C-alpha cells in the first residue's frame, strides 16, 4: 500500500471514529439525499456530521465511487455502447469481425472508443455522437473512400470515416484499415 493510500485509509478510519458510523453507512446516507452535485453533497456532509471540508470531500468521493464501482459493466464495450449509442454496436461488431482476420493486435478500450494497436496504434473506433460512428485510421499514405475525410496534421489519426450502418463497412474501407495495420508493425 502506498503512502497516499495509507493516509487515505487513516483519514477514513478517523471519519468513522468521529461519526460512529461505517463508510458503507455514511455512503448510503449521502447517496440517499438525492443530491447530484459534488459540492451540494460536501455541504450536506459538513452540516450533518460537523466534518471539515477535507474530510467531507473525501467521504463524498468514497460514496460516489461506490456507486460507480457497483454499476460498472463487466464488458467495457457495454459502457461505450450504452444509452443513445447502443444502436451503434453492430457497426463496431462488423468492423471487428473483419479486422480480427488480419492477425494479432491489441484491443484497448478507452472511455468512449476502442484503440487498435500493433507496435503503434493503427485505428480507433467508436460512437462519436448518438447518430454518428467514427473509424479513425492512422495511415501516412494517401487513402481514398467516399466516406473518408482527411484530418488536419497533429492528431492520432490521419483519416476519419463516418459510418451510420454496418452495411457501410465495405471491402475498400477494410483494405485501407489493413494497410494501416500492416504499417503499424
Amino acid at each position: 500500500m502506498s503512502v497516499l493510500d495509507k493516509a487515505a485509509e487513516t483519514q477514513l478510519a478517523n471519519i468513522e471514529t468521529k461519526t460512529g458510523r461505517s463508510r458503507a453507512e455514511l455512503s448510503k446516507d449521502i447517496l440517499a439525499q438525492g443530491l447530484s452535485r459534488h459540492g451540494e453533497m460536501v455541504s450536506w456532509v459538513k452540516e450533518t456530521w460537523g466534518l471539515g471540508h477535507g474530510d467531507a470531500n473525501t467521504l463524498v468521493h468514497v460514496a460516489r465511487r461506490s456507486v460507480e464501482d457497483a454499476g460498472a459493466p463487466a464488458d467495457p464495450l457495454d459502457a461505450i455502447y450504452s444509452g443513445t449509442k447502443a444502436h451503434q454496436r453492430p457497426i463496431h461488431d462488423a468492423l471487428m469481425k473483419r479486422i480480427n482476420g488480419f492477425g494479432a493486435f491489441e484491443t484497448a478500450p478507452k472511455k468512449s472508443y476502442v484503440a487498435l494497436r500493433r507496435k503503434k496504434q493503427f485505428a480507433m473506433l467508436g460512437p462519436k455522437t448518438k447518430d454518428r460512428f467514427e473509424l479513425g485510421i492512422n495511415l501516412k499514405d494517401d487513402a481514398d473512400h467516399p466516406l473518408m475525410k482527411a484530418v488536419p496534421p497533429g492528431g492520432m489519426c490521419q483519416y476519419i470515416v463516418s459510418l451510420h450502418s454496418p452495411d457501410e463497412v465495405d471491402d475498400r474501407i477494410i483494405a485501407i484499415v489493413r494497410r494501416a495495420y500492416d504499417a503499424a508493425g
Side-chain angles (χ1 to χ4, degrees):
M1 186 180 290
S2 74
V3 173
L4 288 176
D5 290 338
K6 287 179 184 175
E9 279 301 314
T10 300
Q11 182 182 22
L12 290 166
N14 289 339
I15 292 169
E16 289 175 326
T17 301
K18 288 177 193 175
T19 62
R21 308 184 73 195
S22 72
R23 279 176 235 185
E25 293 171 321
L26 294 165
S27 293
K28 183 178 176 184
D29 284 351
I30 293 167
L31 298 171
Q33 301 310 305
L35 302 171
S36 59
R37 298 185 60 183
H38 185 86
E40 293 172 339
M41 292 175 169
V42 170
S43 294
W44 183 85
V45 168
K46 288 164 61 174
E47 292 168 16
T48 304
W49 293 306
L51 297 176
H53 183 79
D55 286 347
N57 185 52
T58 298
L59 194 53
V60 169
H61 278 294
V62 167
R64 294 180 91 176
R65 193 173 325 118
S66 69
V67 170
E68 291 168 7
D69 291 347
D75 181 356
L77 294 180
D78 290 344
I80 295 170
Y81 298 101
S82 64
T84 60
K85 297 177 181 179
H87 68 282
Q88 295 183 35
R89 179 76 180 258
I91 301 170
H92 173 98
D93 293 342
L95 281 164
M96 291 305 296
K97 181 178 180 183
R98 303 279 301 272
I99 295 169
N100 282 330
F102 295 171
F105 63 90
E106 174 189 355
T107 302
K110 308 298 183 188
K111 185 175 181 180
S112 61
Y113 67 94
V114 176
L116 306 179
R117 304 182 45 82
R118 290 185 77 198
K119 288 184 180 172
K120 65 177 189 167
Q121 183 169 307
F122 65 92
M124 53 194 280
L125 56 147
K128 185 65 174 180
T129 68
K130 67 178 183 169
D131 299 319
R132 184 168 49 101
F133 182 98
E134 277 191 358
L135 166 64
I137 302 172
N138 185 9
L139 180 66
K140 305 286 186 217
D141 301 336
D142 286 335
D144 185 45
H145 188 281
L147 299 176
M148 184 178 292
K149 293 184 182 174
V151 177
M156 175 55 70
C157 297
Q158 287 74 36
Y159 299 97
I160 296 291
V161 180
S162 294
L163 300 167
H164 300 87
S165 160
D167 299 334
E168 293 176 315
V169 178
D170 62 20
D171 291 341
R172 287 177 58 199
I173 289 173
I174 297 304
I176 294 167
V177 176
R178 177 62 194 241
R179 286 175 41 211
Y181 170 89
D182 292 339

